Amino acid sequence: MRKRKLAATLSVLMLLIGIVLTGCGDKANKAGGKEKDTVNIGVMLYNYTDIQGQEIKSYGSYLENNFNVKFNYATVGSSEEDHIKGLENLLASGVDGIISGYDTALEQSVSLAEEAGVYYMVMLGDVDGSVKSDYLVGGIKQFGDNPADLGARYAEKAYSAGARNIGVTSFPEFAFRDAPAIISGLTEKMKELDVKHEAVIYPTEYHSFAPENASDAVTKIISEHPEVDTIFGLGSGMDFVYPAILNSSTPGIRLLALGYNNSTTAGLQNGNILMAGTNNYTQILANAFAQLYDRIHGKTYSDWQLNGKVNYVTLSSVEEAESFNKYVIPGDKSEGSVTADELKEVMLSYNESATWESLQKLTSRTLSEIQAARNE
């Protein structure tokens, strides 16, 4: 009788131990759950209808096919109120991380993300170091370490092409913080090149995010400076400024553009466009995703810095535009700027010896460097 009671007691104890161990196992799985569960990342942009938005979504699909991740895309307006509303909706949906295109309302955005225990990344601009949070993963310098160098590059092309009377349009400074440095780089380089003092750069006309406002800015430049021969369009130069020039009273004015679309190659060929340029959409999303994915998995680079960088591509010939199409925006992203295998090599989640610097090197390769890598 005692033996039966002892056996029963032991059975109950074993059952209890099994339940406790099972519970511990569940907790362990949850603690490392991101190794198995799909990571959900929200992406916030003004729109996904232009080539930048389309390419970011396209590369996002490629990442979804090669990583355990799902992207949730949100369209947000340009105001701080719209930005915060979009952020709150994403946080309420249960995302693990946020990639914002912009540093709009950064301090408030990071605070909301921190309250929700969600990591936050900015991919179309560097972030202010005064905003402190363990949940702020960082930003990305889309124009390199010094935006003035980009302006100088445009000046060299403009001067060599005979541009001497140059108008400038741009998004407002509060929305495009790098614009003043780019314009300054253009101005200073033109002064250096213009030894005969022939060139004039007119005051910048700022416009909002609507094409009709860009058109008004172009019209004002032409009206006040009828001798203008070139316009430097910093605010959606290809999408907004180029059509405005073509529809103006002087459609022969040439364009220097921050921007790229399907009409760029033809514009370069017929001489209407002296130089176009754009950030490398794949590099930007790759950089932001890699850092965010690692951070969600509890991994941080030992050499991490707040702001990374990508390459800004400039195109001044049909040949360069064709290479851009082939190596930056191909339909098959495994043939593009950053492949999944290349990205895994610089992510701590896949390579414990990966470094932040190795990620930056990968995502700041020039067009010629990408081309060489694909043709090895």
Side-chain angles (χ1 to χ4, degrees):
M1 186 71 174
R2 288 179 179 175
K3 290 182 179 180
R4 285 200 296 269
K5 286 184 178 180
L6 181 60
T9 300
L10 289 173
S11 296
V12 171
L13 286 172
M14 292 299 292
L15 179 61
L16 289 173
I17 290 170
I19 291 172
V20 171
L21 289 175
T22 301
C24 290
D26 286 344
K27 290 179 181 177
N29 287 338
K30 287 178 182 177
K34 292 307 175 188
E35 296 299 331
K36 295 182 179 181
D37 299 337
T38 299
V39 172
N40 291 290
I41 297 178
V43 183
M44 304 169 65
L45 284 180
Y46 291 156
N47 71 75
Y48 297 91
T49 57
D50 61 8
I51 192 166
Q52 175 174 269
Q54 292 170 3
E55 285 297 315
I56 284 175
K57 270 194 169 184
S58 180
Y59 188 64
S61 295
Y62 172 71
L63 292 176
E64 288 176 339
N65 290 332
N66 289 275
F67 294 86
N68 207 9
V69 64
K70 177 66 179 175
F71 292 101
N72 184 355
Y73 299 97
T75 301
V76 297
S78 58
S79 70
E80 291 191 355
E81 292 79 9
D82 288 341
H83 179 90
I84 294 300
K85 182 178 179 180
L87 172 59
E88 289 175 334
N89 288 339
L90 284 174
L91 293 174
S93 73
V95 296
D96 303 297
I98 297 285
I99 297 176
S100 172
Y102 326 99
D103 65 349
T104 307
L106 182 63
E107 187 170 0
Q108 183 181 0
S109 297
V110 172
S111 177
L112 289 170
E114 182 174 339
E115 288 176 11
V118 171
Y119 290 101
Y120 194 89
M121 180 90 196
V122 175
M123 70 174 173
L124 291 175
D126 55 325
V127 298
D128 190 342
S130 65
V131 179
K132 306 292 186 181
S133 172
D134 290 339
Y135 286 86
L136 176 58
V137 179
I140 299 174
K141 300 175 182 178
Q142 62 171 321
F143 300 112
D145 289 325
N146 184 9
D149 292 341
L150 177 63
R153 204 185 312 168
Y154 276 88
E156 289 171 344
K157 179 60 182 178
Y159 191 80
S160 66
R164 295 296 183 268
N165 297 283
I166 303 173
V168 182
T169 69
S170 175
F171 290 137
E173 291 184 27
F174 76 85
F176 189 2
R177 293 189 295 111
D178 290 316
I182 296 172
I183 296 169
S184 175
L186 173 85
T187 303
E188 293 306 311
K189 193 63 177 180
M190 284 295 289
K191 287 180 180 178
E192 176 187 326
L193 296 170
D194 183 31
V195 293
K196 295 182 179 179
H197 306 290
E198 299 172 329
V200 178
I201 299 176
Y202 306 115
T204 303
E205 295 293 337
Y206 293 97
H207 61 81
S208 70
F209 303 97
E212 58 269 22
N213 295 126
S215 180
D216 290 342
V218 169
T219 299
K220 184 176 180 181
I221 290 173
I222 295 173
S223 175
E224 295 183 356
H225 311 287
E227 68 281 7
V228 64
D229 57 53
T230 305
I231 290 179
F232 188 20
L234 282 75
S236 288
M238 286 302 306
D239 291 334
F240 290 0
V241 180
Y242 190 43
I245 291 174
L246 295 179
N247 292 323
S248 73
S249 58
T250 51
I253 293 174
R254 296 172 297 178
L255 175 68
L256 300 162
L258 294 191
Y260 178 91
N261 61 25
N262 293 333
S263 62
T264 301
T265 302
L268 288 169
Q269 188 170 31
N270 62 32
N272 287 342
I273 300 170
L274 297 180
M275 180 179 281
T278 183
N279 51 56
N280 188 314
Y281 322 110
T282 292
Q283 289 181 346
I284 284 179
L285 186 55
N287 192 315
F289 161 74
Q291 294 196 64
L292 201 57
Y293 190 87
D294 274 353
R295 195 68 67 90
I296 290 169
H297 286 86
K299 301 177 186 297
T300 304
Y301 295 111
S302 60
D303 62 336
W304 174 82
Q305 295 181 37
L306 182 61
N307 290 303
K309 62 183 179 181
V310 295
N311 180 56
Y312 192 87
V313 187
T314 54
L315 309 170
S316 57
S317 70
V318 173
E319 292 73 24
E320 288 176 337
E322 290 174 344
S323 292
F324 177 84
N325 278 275
K326 184 174 182 179
Y327 298 105
V328 176
I329 56 172
D332 182 355
K333 299 308 176 191
S334 67
E335 299 177 356
S337 303
V338 182
T339 68
D341 288 341
E342 289 174 333
L343 195 55
K344 288 177 180 179
E345 279 296 311
V346 297
M347 293 174 64
L348 289 169
S349 296
Y350 298 90
N351 177 8
E352 62 181 13
S353 63
T355 63
W356 181 87
E357 185 57 39
S358 66
L359 172 64
Q360 306 315 310
K361 184 177 180 180
L362 174 65
T363 62
S364 61
R365 290 188 300 189
T366 64
L367 184 56
S368 59
E369 288 172 336
I370 297 167
Q371 183 173 348
R374 295 295 162 262
N375 293 323
E376 287 179 348

